[in-house]
Amino acid sequence: MILFKKVAIIGIGLIGGSIAKALKQKKLCNQVTGIVHHKETIQKAIAQNVIDLGTTDLTVVKDADLVVIATPVETTIDIAFKIKNYILDKTLVMDVGSTKLEIVKAFDRAFRKNIEFIGCHPLAGSEKKGVDFSDGGIFNNSIAVLTPYKNRINAYNFNKIKNLWQSLGAEIKLLTPALHDKIIAKTSALPHLLSFSLLNTLPKNYFKFVSSGFRDTTRIGASDPQMWNDILISNKREVVFALEDWQKEINKLKKLIQSKNQSHLKKYISSAKAKRESI
Amino acid sequence: MILFKKVAIIGIGLIGGSIAKALKQKKLCNQVTGIVHHKETIQKAIAQNVIDLGTTDLTVVKDADLVVIATPVETTIDIAFKIKNYILDKTLVMDVGSTKLEIVKAFDRAFRKNIEFIGCHPLAGSEKKGVDFSDGGIFNNSIAVLTPYKNRINAYNFNKIKNLWQSLGAEIKLLTPALHDKIIAKTSALPHLLSFSLLNTLPKNYFKFVSSGFRDTTRIGASDPQMWNDILISNKREVVFALEDWQKEINKLKKLIQSKNQSHLKKYISSAKAKRESI
């Protein structure tokens, strides 16, 4: 099912590359153009059958009916302002960033009224980075959160975006940008903060004693610093709230360990276990 | 290579069952007897070829030349006092608990001088529980920490225990019981505490938005509550120290997020990433 004629994807990394591959594999559009920062990515992405055409020139967005911005959050905002004058009327813009409120507000400022846009956040990916890890199947059985804002997308286009994500294998969840950021601060930022801080609190000579539990718990600690810097800074308010809630939780747990009230501690662990098993 | 004649393993769960299976598969002894708490485990463990004989009677330790205690930490200490009068001279006792100082001190009190013992902690296993998950291969490429205490094992027996773990595929690390507990509080207790608290800080209706990062980070949050209650309580001092160090680390990270000094935050994440990639 052809949903779009020409799709331009800005940023052919793990997520941008995976969307490109999936669009081509599932024949959801006629042509995928990759707009990249480093020239060398073009040849690689074409050779790996990720994109049809590649360029470093942002002005080619004028030929697209769908523009996908798949760069770190702060770059996404910069790019919106850089491309706003090239985009033709009726073009649809979407992004895939992990923070939504700051992005959709910037899009609202950047794009004139007859350019439509929608913020999307596919809950897929890994700590890996770059086109080499792109995979058209990563959205299978994942969740795609859509965060429409201020009537900046009409029902017809909204439906096409829904179709796109569903065709990629994702289940759709609708959230306001603000609620998205609140939830993601807890479900995604916290596990990352916890991994970063656990890795940084461990003395160097202790690393040879880690086992699979430590390894799994800190897998996402190897995530991209620029990407995570942007996510944390652009969602600072909710991230700090989530961190403070979690600090209270840790204090509660510390008191349970110190209190020798083993039945309360066991209950606390049992509650965590039940929650983990419910996922 | 036959290292022992008759091995009695008390507790045929994930670790006890895995040791039993590996001993049999690698023919490291003539006979493995499982001593279990619930009668029903006997038939299952024999049917799954985990043990040769099974019983609920602790007095059979008198027939063994190696006794392995593979129960939660507090139970291990209880059992030492329960079996001390049945064990014959020259029998060797080892345990596999995740806390060492409290256990070896209890063994030192419980066992008369001509019973030898050594504390062991195989850094292997998973959040799964019970004989059904036992697997003779889980020690392959793992680390076995040995914590000899106060000359309570001679060189000949120490060498046999080293051979045993090496035959099971583990690399040996020697630590004092106290240093073991200090290291493990950081490498193992912290990731568990972090998983428990992350699961318990997440509102119920947020769970449908978790992705693979959250899932991996909290895998060990489904660990056995009794086992982890015992590990935390028996190593309380070091666990609380480790938790407090980590709380300082989280505060530092929070300040970096709040400060808007993005180069410091990026450096912090890069340092974590490098550490994770070094494992």
Side-chain angles (χ1 to χ4, degrees):
Chain A
M1 174 184 46
I2 299 286
L3 291 169
F4 298 95
K5 283 175 221 145
K6 293 188 178 180
V7 177
I9 302 181
I10 305 171
I12 301 295
L14 176 71
I15 295 294
S18 298
I19 293 174
K21 269 190 181 169
L23 286 173
K24 281 166 58 65
Q25 286 161 1
K26 294 178 189 287
K27 302 192 194 329
L28 299 173
C29 64
N30 293 324
Q31 191 186 73
V32 178
T33 301
I35 307 176
V36 301
H37 192 58
H38 301 288
K39 242 191 203 158
E40 312 82 68
T41 313
I42 298 174
Q43 254 193 318
K44 194 155 68 167
I46 291 177
Q48 293 176 17
N49 214 16
V50 176
I51 54 176
D52 299 307
L53 297 166
T55 175
T56 58
D57 175 14
L58 282 170
T59 69
V60 304
V61 294
K62 68 181 187 308
D63 300 318
D65 51 337
L66 173 66
V67 175
V68 179
I69 313 180
T71 56
V73 175
E74 296 304 327
T75 312
T76 296
I77 292 171
D78 286 349
I79 283 176
F81 286 94
K82 279 184 187 155
I83 62 175
K84 64 177 187 166
N85 293 325
Y86 305 115
I87 299 187
L88 301 187
D89 284 357
K90 303 208 173 158
T91 304
L92 178 59
V93 181
M94 78 177 209
D95 83 297
V96 292
S98 301
T99 299
K100 295 272 62 93
L101 192 57
E102 197 174 298
I103 287 180
V104 295
K105 278 184 173 171
F107 282 10
D108 189 43
R109 283 195 309 276
F111 300 131
R112 59 192 186 276
K113 288 293 168 197
N114 37 10
I115 295 173
E116 306 214 340
F117 70 80
I118 184 163
C120 303
H121 181 196
L123 306 185
S126 80
E127 77 284 11
K128 299 291 196 291
K129 197 195 165 189
V131 66
D132 293 335
F133 296 100
S134 65
D135 170 1
I138 65 166
F139 307 109
N140 241 327
N141 298 313
S142 74
I143 287 168
V145 181
L146 308 190
T147 61
Y149 185 64
K150 279 190 181 175
N151 297 316
R152 291 297 306 256
I153 187 164
N154 69 30
Y156 175 75
N157 276 331
F158 175 72
N159 210 47
K160 287 221 284 190
I161 293 294
K162 252 183 87 170
N163 273 342
L164 186 156
W165 286 110
Q166 285 170 337
S167 304
L168 266 45
E171 184 193 342
I172 305 291
K173 303 255 183 212
L174 269 185
L175 290 175
T176 64
L179 183 55
H180 165 276
D181 289 359
K182 196 182 180 68
I183 292 174
I184 287 301
K186 289 213 166 199
T187 57
S188 174
L190 277 193
H192 281 83
L193 295 177
L194 164 168
S195 289
F196 300 148
S197 61
L198 181 58
L199 285 158
N200 281 336
T201 192
L202 202 67
K204 246 188 179 165
N205 53 337
Y206 284 19
F207 276 88
K208 56 180 173 289
F209 294 101
V210 304
S211 61
S212 60
F214 187 95
R215 254 179 260 266
D216 281 3
T217 306
T218 57
R219 176 180 64 79
I220 56 177
S223 295
D224 182 51
Q226 183 64 57
M227 178 177 156
W228 273 93
N229 177 77
D230 284 14
I231 294 172
L232 298 173
I233 296 299
S234 61
N235 194 17
K236 187 161 71 167
R237 194 171 158 267
E238 291 299 342
V239 167
V240 171
F241 280 156
L243 200 50
E244 285 172 349
D245 274 355
W246 184 43
Q247 286 182 304
K248 283 179 210 152
E249 193 68 42
I250 294 172
N251 266 322
K252 191 171 135 190
L253 176 51
K254 187 165 87 176
K255 275 183 198 138
L256 290 179
I257 296 170
Q258 287 174 316
S259 82
K260 279 229 170 203
N261 189 329
Q262 300 195 17
S263 75
H264 287 183
L265 178 57
K266 240 165 75 181
K267 227 164 124 179
Y268 187 90
I269 302 172
S270 299
S271 151
K273 180 180 171 67
K275 285 172 181 167
R276 181 59 183 82
E277 285 170 347
S278 78
I279 302 180
Chain B
M1 171 183 49
I2 299 287
L3 291 169
F4 297 96
K5 283 175 221 146
K6 294 189 176 179
V7 177
I9 302 181
I10 305 171
I12 301 296
L14 175 71
I15 296 292
S18 297
I19 293 173
K21 269 190 181 168
L23 287 174
K24 281 166 58 66
Q25 285 161 0
K26 293 178 189 286
K27 301 193 196 329
L28 300 173
C29 65
N30 294 324
Q31 193 186 70
V32 178
T33 301
I35 307 176
V36 300
H37 192 58
H38 299 289
K39 240 190 206 161
E40 313 82 67
T41 313
I42 298 174
Q43 255 194 317
K44 195 155 65 168
I46 291 177
Q48 294 177 15
N49 214 17
V50 177
I51 53 174
D52 299 307
L53 297 167
T55 174
T56 58
D57 176 14
L58 282 170
T59 69
V60 302
V61 294
K62 70 182 186 308
D63 300 319
D65 50 337
L66 173 66
V67 175
V68 179
I69 312 181
T71 56
V73 175
E74 297 303 327
T75 312
T76 296
I77 293 170
D78 286 348
I79 283 176
F81 286 93
K82 278 184 187 154
I83 62 175
K84 65 177 186 166
N85 292 325
Y86 304 115
I87 299 186
L88 301 186
D89 284 357
K90 303 206 172 161
T91 304
L92 178 59
V93 181
M94 78 178 210
D95 84 297
V96 292
S98 300
T99 299
K100 295 272 61 93
L101 191 58
E102 197 175 298
I103 287 180
V104 295
K105 277 184 174 171
F107 281 10
D108 187 43
R109 283 197 307 276
F111 299 132
R112 61 192 185 276
K113 289 293 166 193
N114 37 10
I115 296 174
E116 305 212 340
F117 70 81
I118 184 162
C120 302
H121 181 194
L123 306 185
S126 79
E127 77 286 9
K128 300 290 197 291
K129 197 194 164 189
V131 66
D132 293 335
F133 296 101
S134 65
D135 169 1
I138 63 167
F139 307 108
N140 242 327
N141 298 315
S142 74
I143 287 169
V145 181
L146 309 190
T147 62
Y149 185 65
K150 279 192 183 175
N151 296 316
R152 292 296 307 255
I153 188 166
N154 68 30
Y156 175 76
N157 276 330
F158 175 71
N159 209 48
K160 288 220 286 191
I161 292 294
K162 252 183 88 170
N163 272 341
L164 186 157
W165 286 111
Q166 285 170 336
S167 305
L168 266 45
E171 182 194 341
I172 304 290
K173 302 255 184 213
L174 269 186
L175 291 174
T176 64
L179 183 56
H180 164 276
D181 288 359
K182 196 182 180 68
I183 292 174
I184 287 300
K186 288 213 167 200
T187 57
S188 174
L190 277 193
H192 280 83
L193 294 177
L194 166 167
S195 289
F196 300 148
S197 61
L198 180 59
L199 286 159
N200 281 337
T201 194
L202 201 69
K204 245 186 181 167
N205 51 338
Y206 284 19
F207 276 88
K208 57 180 172 289
F209 294 100
V210 304
S211 62
S212 60
F214 187 94
R215 254 180 262 266
D216 281 4
T217 306
T218 57
R219 177 181 60 81
I220 55 176
S223 295
D224 181 52
Q226 182 65 57
M227 179 177 155
W228 273 93
N229 177 76
D230 284 13
I231 293 172
L232 298 172
I233 296 300
S234 60
N235 194 18
K236 187 161 72 168
R237 194 169 158 268
E238 292 299 342
V239 167
V240 170
F241 280 156
L243 200 49
E244 285 171 349
D245 274 357
W246 184 44
Q247 287 181 307
K248 283 179 210 152
E249 193 68 42
I250 294 172
N251 266 322
K252 191 171 136 190
L253 176 52
K254 188 166 85 176
K255 276 182 197 138
L256 291 178
I257 296 170
Q258 287 174 317
S259 83
K260 277 228 171 205
N261 189 327
Q262 298 195 19
S263 76
H264 287 183
L265 178 57
K266 239 165 77 179
K267 227 164 123 181
Y268 187 90
I269 301 173
S270 298
S271 151
K273 180 179 171 67
K275 284 173 182 167
R276 182 60 183 81
E277 285 170 348
S278 77
I279 301 181

